[in-house]
Amino acid sequence: MSPRPAKILMLDPDQVFARRLGQQLNQAPGNNFACRTLGEATVAEQVLERDKAWDLIILAEDFPLPPRLKQSLAAYPQVRKARKARPWHKELISQGMKLTEIIRLLDQNLVRAAPGGISAKPLVMAYSFNLRLRQLWLQNFLRQQARLGHPLYYFPLAPAYQVSLPLVFSPGPELSSLLLLLSTGAQADYDSLGPCFEAQGRGCYALRTGGRPEDLVLSPLKSQKEVLKLFRLFIRSRSETSVGLVELGSLPFPVLKALTVVADVFVAEMPRAQDYAAQAGRQEMQALLASLPPSVHFVEMNPYDLKLQSRSNAHVPPHPQL
């Protein structure tokens, strides 16, 4: 079976040039491209809301960028800028280039999903009924990312007394201020999260939540979801190997169901015992997994198998006793 075409979105107010180039790329022999061109910012916003599966986005330097479109584009690591009258430099494209050179550079700049269908710069959410299991998985995952040299941005959406990683903070901006702003109905930008992170060593940056220990988990669901969406945009704006990690703790399943749709990967415990508590937990977890959109990959939590790849629950071996 041949691979699907690489989906390329070209945002350029000069639609005569953009459409001609798009047609040439779509019809180029031996190349597997599916190009679409847009010339208006409002239309681009609507298209990006409906269709998020773009392998490459080419953005003309004179294309208008209202705040909403700018924030939408920030979620894509695969945006490349285009100049109009200058030769190619790094990730820039010009109108004077030959088609063969454009094709070569497009191939170099295509950003595909990682093996297992997981996108670059993933947002990972971790949940377990067993606090010790979650602590062990999170600590091992942190060590793995440190060995790989991947910056890890850690967001503990749990009461402060249940946070799994040993954190030390100095005074500084806190998430509680942003939550207060969101609760008033005001809009916030993902950049406002940056100052709330503090380096913890080994490439880990943790979010200062602030406030009382349970303020975050007791905040309105709408505010929690908005913050997680901002966190996802923030991760997409970081370096290519960055990973976002959200620890979910002491949250009821209706809340988990609403929040996990924001994730790229959901790592969770699937209880294997046959007692009443395990059966109830397994039933709730199965219902949650059935409600997840296809964009969220589920991985059963195993502290000794840290691959972020989808796999069938039926074939996952029971995790070791703790």
Side-chain angles (χ1 to χ4, degrees):
M1 185 173 66
S2 59
R4 68 167 178 82
K7 290 182 61 177
I8 301 174
L9 180 63
M10 300 179 8
L11 305 181
D12 193 330
D14 184 352
Q15 283 293 283
V16 175
F17 163 72
R19 286 173 180 162
R20 184 173 67 249
L21 175 59
Q23 290 173 356
Q24 289 176 324
L25 290 170
N26 290 339
Q27 298 168 5
N31 291 286
N32 200 16
F33 297 128
C35 298
R36 180 172 182 182
T37 64
L38 298 174
E40 297 182 5
T42 53
V43 178
E45 291 173 1
Q46 295 168 5
V47 168
L48 289 172
E49 281 292 319
R50 294 195 306 267
D51 186 356
K52 302 182 184 301
W54 297 101
D55 296 302
L56 183 66
I57 299 176
I58 301 175
L59 176 65
E61 64 176 351
D62 56 348
F63 194 83
L65 279 180
R68 183 181 170 191
L69 178 58
K70 185 176 180 181
Q71 185 160 333
S72 295
L73 290 173
Y76 292 86
Q78 55 270 48
V79 174
R80 299 293 182 263
K81 295 181 180 178
R83 295 189 188 275
K84 289 305 185 67
R86 300 184 186 181
W88 179 274
H89 178 259
K90 293 185 179 178
E91 56 190 27
L92 306 179
I93 192 171
S94 75
Q95 288 189 357
M97 293 177 61
K98 294 181 180 179
L99 181 62
T100 53
E101 181 68 3
I102 291 175
I103 290 173
R104 182 181 68 81
L105 292 165
L106 288 180
D107 283 332
Q108 289 179 355
N109 282 276
L110 281 170
V111 177
R112 301 273 191 171
I118 299 166
S119 61
K121 308 181 187 180
L123 176 58
V124 182
M125 294 189 184
Y127 175 84
S128 72
F129 304 94
N130 183 323
L131 177 58
R132 175 58 185 148
L133 173 66
R134 187 166 75 244
Q135 289 173 336
L136 185 57
W137 185 90
L138 285 163
Q139 290 163 8
N140 287 350
F141 187 70
L142 171 60
R143 294 188 189 101
Q144 180 204 53
Q145 297 305 304
R147 286 195 302 269
L148 294 171
H150 296 172
L152 178 73
Y153 293 87
Y154 172 58
F155 184 146
L157 211 170
Y161 46 78
Q162 285 190 358
V163 170
S164 296
L165 300 181
L167 306 177
V168 178
F169 292 117
S170 56
E174 297 175 336
L175 179 63
S176 55
S177 300
L178 182 59
L179 283 171
L180 183 60
L181 177 67
L182 291 172
S183 68
T184 66
Q187 297 294 314
D189 190 84
Y190 68 87
D191 284 333
S192 56
L193 278 176
C196 298
F197 281 93
E198 183 169 344
Q200 301 292 317
R202 296 189 296 174
C204 176
Y205 301 85
L207 189 68
R208 290 189 209 90
T209 54
R212 292 172 297 182
E214 296 179 340
D215 277 356
L216 181 55
V217 295
L218 293 178
S219 62
L221 177 58
K222 182 179 179 181
S223 298
Q224 292 181 20
K225 194 168 184 178
E226 282 299 311
V227 167
L228 287 175
K229 287 180 178 179
L230 291 175
F231 183 47
R232 184 175 61 186
L233 291 173
F234 175 80
I235 294 301
R236 299 292 198 263
S237 71
R238 301 296 96 185
S239 65
E240 291 297 326
T241 57
S242 296
V243 176
L245 175 61
V246 179
E247 178 179 6
L248 301 168
S250 295
L251 298 175
F253 269 86
V255 175
L256 286 174
K257 183 177 179 180
L259 298 182
T260 48
V261 298
V262 182
D264 296 307
V265 183
F266 179 46
V267 182
E269 176 188 5
M270 181 65 76
R272 297 292 183 180
Q274 296 304 315
D275 59 88
Y276 174 76
Q279 289 180 0
R282 185 163 57 248
Q283 183 177 352
E284 290 291 341
M285 184 59 69
Q286 288 171 342
L288 187 154
L289 296 179
S291 72
L292 289 178
S295 58
V296 182
H297 295 260
F298 169 67
V299 178
E300 182 163 2
M301 184 174 285
N302 184 333
Y304 305 108
D305 183 358
L306 302 172
K307 294 185 180 69
L308 297 181
Q309 295 180 354
S310 298
R311 53 195 182 218
S312 169
N313 296 343
H315 300 293
V316 180
H319 51 65
Q321 297 295 319
L322 299 176

